[in-house]
Amino acid sequence: MLISGNGSNLQALIDSTQAGLLAAQIVHVVSNRRDAYGLTRARAAGVPATYHGLAPYKARHPGGGSVPEARAAYDADLATLVLAQRPQLIVCAGWMHILSLAFLDPIAAANVDIINLHPALPGQFDGANAIQRAYAAFKKGEIKHTGIMIHRVITEVDKGQPLLVREVEIKEEDTLQDLEDRIHQVEHIAIVEGARIALEQRAKNIGDP
Ligand code: GRF
């Protein structure tokens, strides 16, 4: 699993796999932020957890310089780090980096599936701060509800094929925090269902002649 923050979705997967509700095992958690609480959650659950930071890569490309080169080297090493545990499925839950082909190509070459949880409906609020943007749009009367999706990861941010979409209502009296809380509750169920769908599709595809 790739995370960057609190790891509440990681926790939902830890709980469901440990309770036998999801027939899978989390083999590695990687965070791009050293202080991500999700690393603590992983370690508490006995799951190997690694901080993979971008800073050393930027330092190697002096002058703050070509960040794309730093990011490509970072992503290539991330792929090596992730593939070392021979995963079948990579779940991105709050991973706040855009994954480049330097990561996606080796992952695809190793026939590993990769999905992402995004707190918006397909094509509505791609990219960062989706919940805040949905809330603002609702306040302006532009939307009546929002939602979340689990989608396959491609280079275009949040544009991959959705595996699962769940609508989430917004109430007139909602604060932003109310909406965030409601979205996270839906996510914690959807992340398990989305992983299950991805694994079942994988088993079916591999089973197919
Ligand atoms: C979730 O809202 C996810 O949709 C977004 O980042 C958040 C991660 O939350 N991409 P957590 O770290 O799993 O609690």
Side-chain angles (χ1 to χ4, degrees):
M1 276 197 78
L2 302 184
I3 63 163
S4 295
N6 173 28
S8 68
N9 286 285
L10 162 65
Q11 191 64 57
L13 283 172
I14 289 171
D15 296 346
S16 61
T17 51
Q18 292 187 346
L21 299 174
L22 176 63
Q25 180 196 0
I26 303 171
V27 294
H28 197 188
V29 173
V30 179
S31 171
N32 68 316
R33 282 185 38 214
R34 189 194 305 276
D35 61 350
Y37 185 63
L39 290 173
T40 304
R41 293 178 188 270
R43 292 173 183 133
V47 175
T50 306
Y51 161 59
H52 183 56
L54 181 59
Y57 295 84
K58 280 185 174 174
R60 263 186 237 141
H61 295 270
S66 79
V67 174
E69 273 175 30
R71 286 295 298 272
Y74 174 89
D75 277 2
D77 284 353
L78 177 64
T80 304
L81 180 67
V82 165
L83 291 175
Q85 301 289 336
R86 304 181 64 74
Q88 295 176 322
L89 172 68
I90 298 167
V91 180
C92 302
W95 176 259
M96 297 315 281
H97 275 328
I98 294 171
L99 292 165
S100 70
L101 285 175
F103 177 78
L104 296 175
D105 283 348
I107 294 305
N111 187 27
V112 177
D113 295 322
I114 177 165
I115 61 176
N116 179 49
L117 166 65
H118 183 64
L121 293 172
Q124 268 216 335
F125 300 103
D126 296 339
N129 302 317
I131 302 175
Q132 293 87 326
R133 289 155 56 202
Y135 185 75
F138 174 78
K139 286 293 180 192
K140 284 188 281 186
E142 293 166 358
I143 58 171
K144 291 276 180 258
H145 65 274
T146 184
I148 63 110
M149 65 169 165
I150 309 270
H151 64 90
R152 293 199 180 278
V153 173
I154 58 175
T155 47
E156 292 77 18
V157 178
D158 298 328
K159 287 285 187 204
Q161 175 214 350
L163 286 180
L164 176 150
V165 177
R166 289 283 183 276
E167 291 190 354
V168 177
E169 75 167 320
I170 310 175
K171 298 173 182 170
E172 279 306 325
E173 68 275 14
D174 274 345
T175 62
L176 174 57
Q177 189 60 54
D178 292 332
L179 178 57
E180 287 186 347
D181 293 346
R182 190 175 304 120
I183 282 182
H184 290 323
Q185 280 174 355
V186 173
E187 286 182 326
H188 298 160
I189 297 165
I191 192 85
V192 177
E193 189 54 29
R196 179 179 292 114
I197 292 168
L199 290 169
E200 285 171 354
Q201 283 186 1
R202 178 185 178 83
K204 192 167 67 67
N205 295 344
I206 289 178
D208 287 350

